[in-house]
Amino acid sequence: NFMLIDSHCHLNDPQFLKDKEAVLKRAQEMGVDRVVCVGYDLATSLEAEALAQKYANVYAVIGVHPHDAKFVKPQTYTILKRTAQSPQVVAIGETGLDFYRNHSPRDLQEQSFRGHIRLAREVGLPIVVHDRDAHAEVVRILREEKAKEVGGVIHCFSGSWEIAKECIGLGF
């Protein structure tokens, strides 16, 4: 007897405005017991938390994707910290680095990533890390910011087995 969990979905995406309930019902019919809805900016993080409040089998991850790092302000962390108090929030993210698309400048992505790790350590939650074409930088920042204290998941990972072993050693 096991539990099937969708560990990363975006029910908070506008495309699901009309059929969230139907999507959740289909997932349950297919044997998915729990759904983790991941925020990718402040609005979708708050939406993820609201969905987790509304549906018993939905949990939330809150944070700002590296694409939107340029929009992160000090008050972003204040709002995320407050929202993280909800028992339905299970991690901080989706954070990390995306050096493939570079929708935000790399220095701002790194700054945001560090801020999210610090927040996760402060609130005692794991992190969901987006790593696209930034493997060495992700590992370096995870080490420097002591992310091993909270661990988490590396999402969008395309690194080598060696990098994967380093991440595993860091609790990911």
Side-chain angles (χ1 to χ4, degrees):
N1 200 5
F2 65 94
M3 182 179 286
L4 193 58
I5 300 171
D6 181 339
S7 66
H8 193 116
C9 73
H10 296 291
L11 279 174
N12 44 1
D13 191 277
Q15 70 179 321
F16 294 114
L17 275 175
K18 291 179 174 60
D19 64 348
K20 263 184 208 58
E21 305 232 352
V23 168
L24 285 167
K25 189 174 188 304
R26 282 196 307 273
Q28 204 157 28
E29 287 167 358
M30 297 304 293
V32 178
D33 299 292
R34 302 280 188 275
V35 172
V36 180
C37 184
V38 180
Y40 45 90
D41 60 20
L42 203 48
T44 57
S45 292
L46 296 175
E47 171 75 2
E49 195 274 335
L51 287 168
Q53 290 292 338
K54 184 174 180 181
Y55 301 103
N57 63 330
V58 176
Y59 293 85
V61 174
I62 57 169
V64 179
H65 192 284
H67 287 342
D68 287 324
K70 61 186 169 229
F71 301 119
V72 172
K73 306 214 172 349
Q75 62 263 35
T76 304
Y77 299 110
T78 305
I79 296 165
L80 291 173
K81 183 178 177 182
R82 187 173 60 236
T83 309
Q85 305 311 308
S86 166
Q88 298 301 106
V89 173
V90 295
I92 301 298
E94 173 175 0
T95 185
L97 303 173
D98 191 312
F99 290 175
Y100 177 74
R101 298 212 190 275
N102 287 306
H103 288 315
S104 281
R106 291 183 178 195
D107 62 324
L108 294 182
Q109 289 187 47
E110 289 197 18
Q111 200 177 328
S112 173
F113 187 25
R114 289 178 188 278
H116 279 75
I117 296 169
R118 290 172 189 156
L119 173 65
R121 288 177 53 224
E122 193 178 336
V123 298
L125 289 173
I127 55 175
V128 174
V129 179
H130 175 99
D131 169 16
R132 189 154 188 204
D133 291 358
H135 314 306
E137 294 88 347
V138 163
V139 170
R140 176 177 50 80
I141 291 170
L142 290 174
R143 281 191 202 291
E144 288 173 2
E145 295 296 335
K146 302 178 185 72
K148 189 173 188 174
E149 291 178 13
V150 291
V153 175
I154 307 286
H155 167 75
C156 191
F157 180 81
S158 61
S160 66
W161 174 234
E162 286 67 33
I163 295 278
K165 286 191 285 190
E166 281 192 69
C167 292
I168 291 167
L170 289 169
F172 291 83

